[in-house]
Amino acid sequence: MLAQRLAFVAICLFLVLPPVQCFGTVNGIGQMAEHERMTRDALACAPGAKSTGDCFEPLSIDALAGKSKATGAVGAPDLDEIFSSLAHCDDADYLDYSKYSIPGTYPRTRAQATQAMLDCLAHLSGRFSDGLTDAKALLDSKDNIIKKEVNLDGNDCTFVPSAKGRAKCDAIEGFGRALHGVQDFYSHSNWADESDPALSTSITNPPGLRLPAPAGFLDLRSAMTPAGFSIPPELITGCFIYKASDGTDFSGSKECEKQGRLTHKTLNKDTGTINVFPGVPIPPGSPITRSPTTPRGKIGNNFELAVEGAILETRRQWTDFRAKLLSLYGPKQASLIVCALTRDQPWKDCTGRKMALVIDSSGSNQETDPSNLRISAAQEFDATLVTEASVAPDNFPDKVTVIDFDTSARVIYPLGDPASASFDGIDSDGGTFIAGGVALAIQELTKDATDPTEDHAGIIVFTDGQDSDISALVATIDDATNKGIRLSFGFLSPPANPVTRRTRRRSTDRRARALYPRQSNAGPPHELLAAVLRTGGVFATIDSAEAQHSFINLVLARGPTNIDSISPNDGGPLFPDIAVVALASVAQVPDIFTYHAKAGQNLTFKTEAITSGPLNVTLYDVRGSKDLNSVATNAQGASNIVYKAPSDVDLELIVTATAKGGNSTGLYSVQLQLTSSGSNSTCSIATSSPCQTIGEMKCCGTGFITCDHGGYVFRDCGPGTVCKGSSIGLYCGYP
């Protein structure tokens, strides 16, 4: 089989591959490996750097992008789909002759051109979906990474039609084939380019749209095609028809010219030199290309714009691919899949996490968390870890330690097997010495110098208070950052109707008195927020004790360690009743938050600038490929978007910093609130029903109800989660 594959590749590369059809796959015969170079610019890790999910390590990027004498997945369509307009987004050609006073009528209609583009999107969406489906085979039934399915060392991937190989190669092939098409879009279309200003508009000098990347309608996550209005009426890709009678003329233009159509040869910006900067940010305004060779590419900076658009689109597609993995497989499997695809030795590098669960046991929890739901949330996280009994021979088991803190900190369970983790003895009495808990967690995680800590370790803090010595806490968190330990911080805000606190014993300890204040509504210090984000973790303000379980889902979705990054640090899934803090980009790159809304849900998306400048906020319907609402933060730095979902819908909240009004970087928060519509069709128990026991909870419909001062309050579970029970209480978790 290997000999057959290699023979097939050789035939395709040296006998079939034409010099000009799309961005190049090989270096030679008129091409300069443009697809490989763009893919490396977009997704290769910096030399010597380890992947945290946003880039591919050397062997893995070789498989995706290609290398000398080996075609990567992104080049696969040039092997077996070279003359398919669907694989390269060709044949969406139309020019409105009447608008430009051109005599006659164009031989195709706008509707035909739009349909050709939709057909291309459907084809690429199918390839994208193939990659998502094949990725599941990276893991066994116990969610261990299968070494033989991911090992690329000394054994390159080969991409042959309808031939399955290793799971990593298959998943990368589906994603790479989709990338080829979206990259070609920017070269083959007039989306980003301009026409020759010295010539009048015609089929040999069509108009350019000069639109920015990424193009909204190139969202490949949904099988649904975008609405027609989302495709600009003047969007054009060139006609390409190759016939055997054309011989060695691979331009695909002869038949198109006979039909009077605008050709691929006229519009493409396929070839030129692309500078490779893998993993290195390119300063704004710095050229990434030189020496374009096609007529359209030589006009203005058209080749530069096409390449720039393709690189931005490639990064966007990888973000979307990770988001879709999360929605399909849940955070645990998605995290392992992303790590397995991007790391070169994932059976070692993506396993063996060391986690510290740092749990507040101060007296204020009597008010904020009387049912001890923070403990059951920590137990829920512990249940997701890989135990010694379930780990595969080529993988490493996870380890966990449990830390309790109030006036002081203590180890409840030393670093060991998650299956035996104990949470006994965590009460609600004393002060709030968070720094002590974090410092003790770092000590436990690093006590064995032979056990790797960097990038494999994480700390999750559950607290409802603030440490009186913020500088000490920030210094401790920075120590975690320096050691490669990610820290996620869940801050439980004061309840609207606090439970009466039991009388606490008097203390003569000055620290206990200082650190045991009644909880206030004051927000956490900005320096604390920034310190947590520097670790790569998430800072979340939690509206209710019940939502602490959603906080765990948030941590799992964002990644508890540096090897678990499914979604970017700024952006990712939103969960009801949790506000997440993000850092606005000085480069004005948008942060994209996601939520799967259920039919009838009333949603409020609240955005608040903390230290950032003004923000633009857009709510986007992924399936419908359209903006639902766009607002800017007001003079107080706040904005609200209210939306009622008419049906199940995938939403994105897109937040972008503006350069107006001062600093364009800084902290901000995003919160999703579900508001009652007066009734709940998913739960048969009316919220007006009387109840006796404050804090009593029951699973009901798509969420759960909590007894709150004589009446039930319904809370819907977050996207993809269901109500579940444990020995301590109920929570929303992944099925």
Side-chain angles (χ1 to χ4, degrees), residues 139-381:
L139 309 178
D140 67 15
S141 60
K142 294 183 178 180
D143 294 337
N144 290 292
I145 294 172
I146 306 172
K147 181 178 179 180
K148 68 177 183 179
E149 297 291 346
V150 300
N151 190 0
L152 303 181
D153 191 9
N155 191 8
D156 292 342
C157 294
T158 53
F159 306 107
V160 180
S162 304
K164 290 293 184 181
R166 283 158 289 165
K168 180 164 181 172
C169 297
D170 293 342
I172 284 178
E173 179 176 0
F175 179 62
R177 286 180 180 271
L179 283 186
H180 187 107
V182 295
Q183 289 176 358
D184 273 355
F185 168 80
Y186 290 92
S187 170
H188 295 190
S189 77
N190 65 337
W191 177 272
D193 72 7
E194 65 177 336
S195 61
D196 188 339
L199 302 175
S200 59
T201 300
S202 67
I203 62 170
T204 58
N205 187 43
L209 300 182
R210 299 286 290 186
L211 293 173
F217 67 83
L218 290 181
D219 192 317
L220 305 181
R221 289 172 292 178
S222 174
M224 298 175 62
T225 54
F229 69 83
S230 65
I231 295 179
E234 290 195 277
L235 178 66
I236 305 167
T237 68
C239 170
F240 183 94
I241 303 173
Y242 176 77
K243 292 185 174 183
S245 59
D246 291 342
T248 58
D249 181 358
F250 294 106
S251 68
S253 61
K254 286 186 177 181
E255 182 61 28
C256 297
E257 289 170 349
K258 289 179 183 178
Q259 296 179 19
R261 295 170 62 181
L262 194 156
T263 68
H264 166 80
K265 183 178 181 180
T266 294
L267 198 54
N268 85 82
K269 300 159 284 292
D270 283 341
T271 53
T273 301
I274 301 173
N275 304 316
V276 179
F277 302 94
V280 179
I282 302 171
S286 299
I288 55 177
T289 66
R290 55 187 170 85
S291 307
T293 61
T294 69
R296 186 77 169 191
K298 293 179 179 179
I299 298 172
N301 61 340
N302 281 351
F303 181 57
E304 175 87 7
L305 291 171
V307 170
E308 183 181 81
I311 290 172
L312 291 174
E313 187 65 55
T314 298
R315 291 176 182 147
R316 176 266 195 99
Q317 294 297 335
W318 177 235
T319 297
D320 288 355
F321 194 86
R322 287 183 287 172
K324 192 64 176 178
L325 285 171
L326 179 62
S327 67
L328 286 173
Y329 302 124
K332 180 180 179 180
Q333 291 184 347
S335 174
L336 288 167
I337 289 170
V338 170
C339 195
L341 290 175
T342 58
R343 291 267 186 154
D344 287 346
Q345 294 184 316
W347 60 94
K348 294 193 302 184
D349 293 343
C350 303
T351 62
R353 294 163 183 78
K354 299 195 299 184
M355 293 301 307
L357 303 176
V358 181
I359 303 172
D360 188 341
S361 61
S362 63
S364 56
N365 283 286
Q366 296 175 27
E367 295 179 1
T368 59
D369 188 17
S371 299
N372 291 324
L373 296 183
R374 67 196 183 283
I375 301 176
S376 60
Q379 290 176 315
E380 177 191 351
F381 178 83

Side-chain angles (χ1 to χ4, degrees), residues 140 142 144 385-392:
D140 67 15
K142 294 183 178 180
N144 290 292
L385 299 176
V386 179
T387 65
E388 293 176 359
S390 63
V391 71

